[in-house]
Amino acid sequence: MLDANRSGTATASPRAAAQELVVPVLPLRPAGLAARCTRVLLSPYARLSLLLALLVGAAACVLLFEPQRLLTHGWPSQLGGAAAAVVFAAAYGLCTVAFVPRPLLNLAAGALFGSQLGLATALAGTVLGAGVAFGLGRLLGQDALRPLLRGRWLRAADGQLSRHGFRSMLAVRLFPGVPFWAANYCAAVSRMGWLPFLLATGLGSIPNTAAYAVAGARASAPTSPAFLIAMACIAVPALAGTVVAWRKRHRLRGR
């Protein structure tokens, strides 16, 4: 409505001006199907399901192809020298991700390549496999599993790995007892950094891996001093780890 002022000009009333300035608000469009699917696929539990599916598939491949046959049938004749060592290290890493026991792979490395090259190949495969498992666990499982750390033992292990990552992982690698794959995924769920994890894995795996590699290289002479010393180096850390774990059990329960 227009109002006339003293000068004779017509002006709009405040109510009419306010109505003219109102901008219509359009309703928000609902998120599209692609956006909803993306959110579901990137959710923590969807990524955890993907990790479990990958691990189950890897374990199925191990059962199907049976990599342990290397101990009985030997390495393929087409591969030799450095190429064979590189291929074996890559296969070693993938097999550890698929839950193949490291002692079996270490024995195979020593039997196929001898003590020195077998040790180097097995260590390379160990670090590679640990890094792959750590990356998968950190990327696909950490967000979903960290809220589930409610048990006393789980919280104690998580706190130890998060605050003292290098020292804790070095002790785990030096004193066998915790499965290799379990230590990898536990470290991935914790807040341990990449560098401490890989350094502790590489350094802590040397004694045990060397003992198995020597035992594999000298398996044809089980009464030789080298083989007996290697077996002692395998048994003593395992026994020491058992004793330490038994003595520390009360401290873990008290946390």
Side-chain angles (χ1 to χ4, degrees):
M1 180 180 292
L2 298 179
D3 296 332
N5 56 16
R6 294 181 179 180
S7 60
T9 59
T11 60
S13 64
R15 180 179 299 177
Q19 292 177 354
E20 292 177 358
L21 293 177
V22 172
V23 178
V25 178
L26 298 177
L28 296 176
R29 295 182 178 179
L33 179 61
R36 291 197 296 270
C37 292
T38 301
R39 285 198 298 269
V40 171
L41 291 176
L42 295 180
S43 65
Y45 290 101
R47 285 180 285 160
L48 179 60
S49 301
L50 176 59
L51 175 61
L52 295 177
L54 289 175
L55 295 179
V56 170
C61 291
V62 168
L63 295 176
L64 180 63
F65 294 105
E66 298 180 355
Q68 64 271 17
R69 290 182 299 177
L70 289 174
L71 290 175
T72 56
H73 295 82
W75 191 252
S77 58
Q78 295 83 359
L79 291 174
V86 172
V87 173
F88 183 86
Y92 184 113
L94 295 177
C95 286
T96 58
V97 177
F99 310 113
V100 176
R102 282 187 62 247
L104 182 67
L105 297 172
N106 293 333
L107 289 173
L112 295 174
F113 302 104
S115 301
Q116 297 180 357
L117 184 57
L119 171 61
T121 304
L123 283 177
T126 297
V127 176
L128 175 62
V132 172
F134 186 85
L136 288 175
R138 179 62 56 89
L139 179 64
L140 300 178
Q142 186 186 47
D143 293 339
L145 293 177
R146 281 202 65 83
L148 303 179
L149 298 177
R150 298 175 182 176
R152 184 181 300 174
W153 283 62
L154 292 177
R155 291 199 306 268
D158 174 68
Q160 185 69 22
L161 290 173
S162 299
R163 292 191 300 268
H164 311 288
F166 178 82
R167 184 176 65 189
S168 301
M169 187 54 56
L170 186 65
V172 169
R173 303 306 191 194
L174 284 174
F175 300 104
V178 180
F180 184 73
W181 60 269
N184 294 336
Y185 291 114
C186 288
V189 175
S190 72
R191 303 188 187 279
M192 181 187 298
W194 278 87
L195 186 59
F197 173 76
L198 294 178
L199 284 178
T201 298
L203 294 176
S205 300
I206 291 176
N208 186 263
T209 304
Y212 276 103
V214 172
R218 302 299 178 89
S220 58
T223 59
S224 63
F227 181 85
L228 296 177
I229 293 174
M231 295 305 297
C233 292
I234 293 172
V236 170
L239 180 60
T242 303
V243 172
V244 171
W246 178 260
R247 296 183 62 182
K248 296 292 185 181
R249 73 190 189 283
H250 300 294
R251 181 179 299 180
L252 288 175
R253 289 176 182 176
R255 292 183 179 181

